[in-house]
């Protein structure tokens, strides 16, 4: 009997587990979920209804062949839900849990064998015929194939933060876990201005209505906003995409995009960026290592702000906070964070290079996804790297992998039976963390796993 394990209890793990349960196959599926609420992971475990999806409800879903629409599901308990809305992320978490429950009950009715293990996987040891996975509750599972769906890594402190600041209790590394404080902070500094920073600012502004909020990042660029209603596709997208695929590097791509916008002044630039979605992975794969590095250094900040936009309601609240003088957004480099609380945050302003030290009762690091596996303290990933079963992407964007999720080992070969999905694949796919990409990848990966298993069994029979 073949056993397949999916490690990670977030949305990506849920999507692969559900896709595998649906397959007409004999393999036993194990879902090792860690400590998180099953299927919600980091993004959809929030209970703050100011935290909105950044994709319209009609674009969200868990399975490529889904049993029920998210909009339909949300409409059952909430009146006037439209597919064009940006709904609270909590509702999508509820949807994931309901969809997983459905697949589990249908699998039970069909007598399909599976197990959910609500503990962490600590280590994976290769065996002649598969892997042994050791779980935190002492169980050892013998498995033929393993999918790593462990999401982004726990944030590491910026190098510029002193040990005393880290120990002070006034520096928060986890932006989803604002500390409970007896006294509200007078000033709170958020390091970062991306989507995570926006959520942190929204939460902080309601929890501490009198606090002065400051957000700092090198470019001080907040995410751009989605249009309230969907926009028309760019009519010349197909020819633009074809010409982008011929470009050698991000700079000529940017010139082509600018020129397309000059030629079509009535077009909303956001439709053009959205229309690149089907080719983003290929554009990234076409770049050489040096060109990828250049992109990350010079263009990543503007790409992220343009591509991963914020819901209109969140943008309005942020603008209101700025208009009321409660929020300042600074383009500056953080040179140091020191003290024992309150903390001194020293920054160099981008426009005039002037050094300033701001004092804050609370500093929150919200610098986005960490994918630098070579430096991680994640028990399982560091063991896999130390044992040479996987290898870090050279630009620290997850693990080295094939586009279909097969992982490469330290020798550069495909490591038979080891796969990944989600942010660990950024080095190969670049855009692979949003639900539209994750559900397609999960669907394809489930088929790949079953096909690889059948092939391995056929080979074993021939050898025998
Ligand atoms: C704040 C936020 C908002 C987002 N909003 C949107 C949105 O609106 N629309 C959209 O399409 N995308 C959004 N995204 C993208 C999001 O990353 C994906 O939608 C999805 O949630 C990623 O899920 P994941 O399972 O890969 O990772 P995670 O959610 O991080 O889940 C990984 C899980 O694996 C578990 N785990 C880790 N190690 C182990 C181990 N050794 N053993 C067992 N379990 C382990 C962790 O505890 C965690 O629960 C958002 C992301 C974030 C962070």
């Amino acid at each position: 009997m073949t056993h397949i394990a999916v490690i990670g209890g977030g949305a990506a793990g849920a999507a692969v587990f559900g896709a595998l349960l649906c397959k007409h196959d004999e393999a036993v599926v194990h879902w090792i979920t860690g400590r998180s609420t099953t299927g919600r992971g980091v993004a959809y475990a929030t209970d703050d209804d100011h935290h909105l999806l950044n994709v319209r409800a009609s674009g969200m879903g868990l399975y490529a062949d889904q049993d029920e629409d998210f909009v339909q599901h949300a409409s059952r308990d909430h009146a006037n839900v439209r597919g064009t809305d940006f709904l609270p992320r909590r509702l999508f978490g509820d949807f994931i849990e309901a969809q997983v429950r459905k697949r589990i009950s249908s699998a039970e009715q069909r007598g399909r064998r599976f197990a959910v293990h609500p503990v962490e996987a600590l280590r994976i040891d290769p065996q002649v015929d598969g892997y042994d996975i050791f779980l935190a509750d002492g169980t050892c599972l013998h498995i033929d194939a393993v999918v790593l769906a462990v999401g982004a890594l726990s944030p590491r402190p910026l190098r510029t933060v002193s040990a005393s600041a880290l120990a002070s209790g006034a520096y928060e590394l986890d932006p989803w876990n604002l500390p409970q404080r007896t006294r509200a902070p007078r000033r709170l500094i958020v390091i970062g201005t991306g989507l995570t920073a926006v959520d942190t600012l929204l939460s902080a502004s309601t929890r501490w209505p009198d606090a002065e909020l400051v957000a700092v990042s090198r470019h001080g660029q907040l995410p751009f906003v989605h249009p309230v209603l969907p926009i028309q596709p760019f009519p010349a997208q197909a020819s633009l995409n074809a010409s982008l695929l011929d470009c050698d590097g991000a700079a000529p791509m940017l010139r082509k995009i600018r020129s397309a916008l000059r030629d079509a002044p009535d077009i909303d630039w956001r439709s053009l960026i959205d229309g690149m979605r089907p080719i983003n992975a290929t554009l990234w794969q076409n770049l050489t290592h040096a060109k990828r590095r250049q992109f990350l250094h010079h263009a990543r900040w503007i790409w992220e702000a343009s591509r991963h936009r914020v819901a209109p309601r969140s943008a309005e609240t942020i603008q209101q906070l700025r208009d009321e003088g409660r929020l300042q957004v600074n383009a500056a480099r953080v040179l140091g964070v020191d003290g024992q609380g309150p903390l001194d945050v020293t920054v160099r302003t981008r426009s005039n290079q002037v050094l300033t030290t701001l004092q804050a009762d609370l500093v929150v690091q919200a610098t986005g996804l960490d994918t630098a596996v070579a430096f991680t303290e994640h028990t399982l990933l560091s063991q896999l790297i130390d044992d040479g079963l996987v290898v870090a992407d050279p630009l620290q964007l997850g693990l080295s992998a094939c586009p279909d999720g097969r992982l490469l080992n330290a020798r550069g070969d495909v490591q038979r039976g080891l796969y990944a999905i989600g942010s660990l694949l950024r080095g190969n796919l670049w855009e692979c963390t949003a639900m539209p990409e994750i559900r397609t990848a999960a669907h394809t990966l489930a088929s790949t796993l079953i096909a690889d298993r059948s092939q391995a069994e056929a080979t074993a029979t021939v050898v025998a």
Side-chain angles (χ1 to χ4, degrees):
M1 180 69 75
T2 302
H3 290 252
I4 299 175
V6 180
I7 302 179
V16 183
F17 175 64
L20 282 168
L21 283 190
C22 254
K23 295 270 170 206
H24 296 289
D25 193 81
E26 295 296 305
V28 182
V29 188
H30 297 261
W31 189 18
I32 302 162
T33 60
R35 282 163 293 178
S36 67
T37 313
T38 304
R40 290 180 180 261
V42 177
Y44 311 112
T46 175
D47 55 8
D48 185 335
D49 277 354
H50 293 99
H51 293 167
L52 301 181
L53 292 166
N54 59 9
V55 173
R56 292 181 202 280
S58 57
M60 292 296 287
L62 185 62
Y63 307 126
D65 54 348
Q66 56 195 9
D67 317 315
E68 192 193 15
D69 201 27
F70 172 47
V71 181
Q72 226 178 321
H73 185 269
S75 305
R76 277 206 239 126
D77 294 331
H78 301 269
N80 305 324
V81 169
R82 288 161 306 181
T84 51
D85 291 346
F86 295 91
L87 297 176
R89 287 209 300 274
R90 180 182 60 77
L91 295 184
F92 190 68
D94 295 346
F95 172 74
I96 295 177
E97 285 202 12
Q99 298 306 294
V100 171
R101 272 199 304 272
K102 265 193 188 174
R103 292 246 159 147
I104 286 182
S105 98
S106 144
E108 280 167 344
Q109 279 164 21
R110 286 181 285 124
R112 181 72 205 266
R113 293 182 59 194
F114 67 89
V116 180
H117 308 266
V119 287
E120 269 180 54
L122 301 179
R123 129 165 241 109
I124 301 180
D125 283 345
Q127 302 297 333
V128 182
D129 56 345
Y131 295 93
D132 282 343
I133 305 185
F134 296 90
L135 307 186
D137 63 359
T139 312
C140 172
L141 302 171
H142 185 71
I143 297 286
D144 299 84
V146 186
V147 178
L148 301 178
V150 297
L153 308 170
S154 302
R156 285 168 302 138
L158 300 175
R159 275 190 295 241
T160 47
V161 183
S162 72
S164 64
L166 280 175
S168 68
Y171 191 87
E172 182 55 62
L173 260 181
D174 179 358
W176 311 114
N177 194 19
L178 287 183
Q180 300 294 338
R181 299 170 58 99
T182 40
R183 276 185 40 209
R186 277 158 303 173
R187 182 187 283 147
L188 178 149
I189 297 183
V190 177
I191 304 180
T193 56
L195 287 169
T196 306
V198 168
D199 278 354
T200 307
L201 292 166
L202 294 174
S203 297
S205 70
T206 48
R207 188 179 301 181
W208 299 301
D210 296 324
E212 178 193 341
L213 306 173
V214 179
V216 189
S217 72
R218 265 186 291 164
H219 295 90
Q221 178 67 61
L222 288 163
F224 290 102
V225 60
H226 278 292
V228 175
L229 290 172
I231 36 184
Q232 289 300 314
F234 176 46
Q237 191 78 46
S239 65
L240 172 68
N241 284 0
S243 70
L244 290 174
L245 286 167
D246 278 341
C247 287
D248 181 24
M253 284 182 207
L254 197 59
R255 282 198 290 277
K256 290 248 156 89
I257 292 172
R258 286 209 178 109
S259 138
L261 286 170
R262 265 197 310 276
D263 294 346
D266 297 336
I267 289 296
D268 188 319
W269 64 268
R270 293 169 290 192
S271 72
L272 194 150
I273 298 295
D274 295 349
M276 289 169 60
R277 199 166 188 156
I279 60 159
N280 284 333
T282 317
L283 288 177
W284 174 256
Q285 285 155 2
N286 286 351
L287 297 180
T288 59
H289 176 81
K291 296 266 154 97
R292 287 182 189 187
R293 192 197 287 274
Q294 268 174 12
F295 169 82
L296 294 176
H297 199 67
H298 299 294
R300 179 184 199 162
W301 65 277
I302 192 70
W303 172 259
E304 301 278 18
S306 314
R307 165 75 188 79
H308 300 284
R309 298 188 296 267
V310 69
R313 185 144 54 91
S314 307
E316 263 169 40
T317 313
I318 291 290
Q319 190 54 49
Q320 200 181 333
L321 291 171
R322 295 180 86 173
D323 294 344
E324 289 168 359
R326 286 179 61 195
L327 167 64
Q328 246 185 67
V329 180
N330 296 342
R333 183 185 276 270
V334 176
L335 298 182
V337 182
D338 199 10
Q340 294 175 329
L343 299 177
D344 290 330
V345 180
T346 304
V347 300
R348 185 167 57 220
T349 305
R350 187 174 178 84
S351 56
N352 56 13
Q353 303 297 306
V354 168
L355 289 189
T356 316
T357 298
L358 295 169
Q359 213 175 52
D361 299 306
L362 181 62
V363 177
V364 181
Q365 183 177 313
T367 44
L369 294 184
D370 187 352
T371 54
V373 282
F375 309 108
T376 188
E377 289 178 4
H378 189 281
T379 315
L380 177 63
L381 287 175
S382 28
Q383 176 255 320
L384 291 173
I385 290 200
D386 290 347
D387 291 355
L389 294 175
V390 298
V391 66
D393 170 76
L395 291 167
Q396 293 309 327
L397 297 169
L399 296 172
S400 290
C402 303
D404 61 4
R406 287 183 174 90
L407 291 172
L408 303 183
N409 57 30
R411 291 187 308 278
D413 301 328
V414 169
Q415 178 65 33
R416 190 182 47 80
L418 266 196
Y419 306 79
I421 185 168
S423 47
L424 286 180
L425 298 181
R426 279 208 106 181
N428 196 293
L429 300 172
W430 182 244
E431 297 282 341
C432 53
T433 58
M435 284 321 292
E437 280 80 15
I438 284 181
R439 64 171 181 266
T440 310
H443 186 75
T444 315
L445 187 54
S447 305
T448 307
L449 282 160
I450 303 295
D452 285 358
R453 187 185 68 86
S454 309
Q455 202 185 350
E457 276 176 2
T459 313
T461 312
V462 171
V463 171

